[in-house]
Amino acid sequence: MSYGMLIDLTLCIGCKGCQIACKQWNDLPAEKTTFNADWSNPPELTARTWKRVGHHLVQKGDKLVWRFVPQACMHCNEAACEAACFVHAFYKTPEGPVLYKENLCVGCRYCMVACPFGIPKFEWDETFPLVRKCRMCYERIADGQQPACASACPTGATLFGRRDELLAEARNRINTNPGKYVPHIYGEKEAGGTSVLYLSDVPFHELGFKTVEKGEIPAEPIPSFSDRIVRWTLPVAATWTAVLGGLYWYTKRRSEVEESFKRQNSPQDNGEGS
């Protein structure tokens, strides 16, 4: 049974209750706040902030409106971080969360490069740094509870449940309120689908989401690209080896023929000059 979260951005009021609940449950230290033009703090996810609420001032019709976007790991159905991790520190659980075995991590940070959403963060200032990100409160889910962020949301903007039921709920909200939402469930197909889904009343790209339409993120799972590359690696390597081997044999044979021709036509070998 795969769980997920449906975040309805039309219901989010930017209270940051989810952000604070994440800090409390995961015992994450506070960070020094800084002035930020869009009022979000911190301005991006860090190794100590696994969930943050982004503030966006966008045009809707003839009005400027604020929209608030809770951001954390998307928990991809086929996680790029898992595919990129050669020591298998990352893994997708049957329950939905993508987890991390810190005792296996070698600090290569390939997961950070591979993630299409830029989620994993590195503890740059630690002596023995690790990669950090949202775990969807896996222990709470295993105990039959909601993730801390979902349980703390005062408006019901974050809904926790089975992913297939959340998708059905999202489609129902769009179909029964066609003028309220953009007709798209973000996360249904992005990067092959994610456990975290979003609904919005303004286009997602205006809220900083990477979209398939703009070519910023694929609709296919990221690991499918690496699978293709790996599938062709051996044939290409074998072909290239054969080509190089042929060139080597040709060059060597040509040198032997030239040496033989020189010896046959040299004055000493022909008995001349004696």
Side-chain angles (χ1 to χ4, degrees):
M1 182 181 297
S2 182
Y3 292 100
M5 290 191 287
L6 173 62
I7 301 175
D8 188 336
L9 299 180
T10 68
L11 299 177
C12 183
I13 58 175
C15 69
K16 299 187 180 180
C18 56
Q19 185 174 318
I20 296 169
C22 176
K23 286 267 188 185
Q24 289 178 331
W25 175 255
N26 293 292
D27 196 22
L28 298 172
E31 296 194 71
K32 184 178 180 180
T33 56
T34 56
F35 177 76
N36 194 352
D38 67 2
W39 295 11
S40 59
N41 239 313
E44 60 182 18
L45 294 173
T46 71
R48 296 186 177 88
T49 299
W50 300 350
K51 192 176 192 82
R52 66 176 284 274
V53 178
H55 294 205
H56 301 266
L57 186 60
V58 296
Q59 185 83 32
K60 185 181 181 187
D62 58 352
K63 296 180 180 178
L64 284 175
V65 296
W66 282 101
R67 288 295 178 265
F68 310 100
V69 180
Q71 180 194 20
C73 178
M74 297 291 286
H75 298 280
C76 302
N77 294 342
E78 296 184 45
C81 58
E82 180 183 19
C85 184
F86 61 90
V87 297
H88 305 295
F90 282 95
Y91 62 103
K92 176 78 172 179
T93 64
E95 294 83 3
V98 175
L99 300 183
Y100 167 70
K101 296 178 181 177
E102 60 184 48
N103 61 313
L104 297 181
C105 183
V106 296
C108 69
R109 303 188 296 280
Y110 288 170
C111 54
M112 297 170 64
V113 177
C115 178
F117 302 103
I119 298 299
K121 302 300 178 186
F122 197 61
E123 295 177 320
W124 295 101
D125 53 353
E126 295 289 338
T127 305
F128 300 102
L130 297 169
V131 175
R132 298 298 190 188
K133 73 168 195 67
C134 163
R135 306 175 69 254
M136 207 195 286
C137 297
Y138 179 74
E139 292 77 10
R140 291 175 63 99
I141 295 176
D143 195 39
Q145 302 181 62
Q146 301 182 67
C149 58
S151 65
C153 183
T155 64
T158 299
L159 191 62
F160 173 75
R162 287 178 48 172
R163 185 176 186 271
D164 55 349
E165 293 177 350
L166 294 176
L167 279 171
E169 173 63 22
R171 294 190 188 102
N172 181 57
R173 292 187 188 187
I174 291 174
N175 292 334
T176 55
N177 301 278
K180 181 177 179 181
Y181 298 101
V182 295
H184 182 71
I185 305 169
Y186 192 90
E188 181 179 15
K189 296 180 179 177
E190 281 75 10
T194 60
S195 293
V196 178
L197 309 167
Y198 287 91
L199 285 178
S200 175
D201 59 343
V202 297
F204 284 101
H205 68 86
E206 295 182 16
L207 300 173
F209 286 81
K210 294 180 179 178
T211 64
V212 174
E213 292 73 19
K214 289 186 172 295
E216 299 163 320
I217 195 169
E220 296 178 69
I222 301 295
S224 66
F225 294 99
S226 57
D227 288 345
R228 289 179 202 165
I229 294 172
V230 171
R231 191 178 305 128
W232 282 101
T233 298
L234 185 58
V236 169
T239 303
W240 189 237
T241 301
V243 170
L244 292 177
L247 288 173
Y248 172 76
W249 178 86
Y250 172 77
T251 303
K252 182 179 179 183
R253 180 59 181 160
R254 183 176 178 177
S255 298
E256 291 174 350
V257 171
E258 289 177 353
E259 285 295 324
S260 176
F261 180 79
K262 288 179 182 178
R263 284 198 300 269
Q264 292 175 2
N265 292 279
S266 66
Q268 187 174 6
D269 289 348
N270 291 333
E272 297 176 3
S274 60

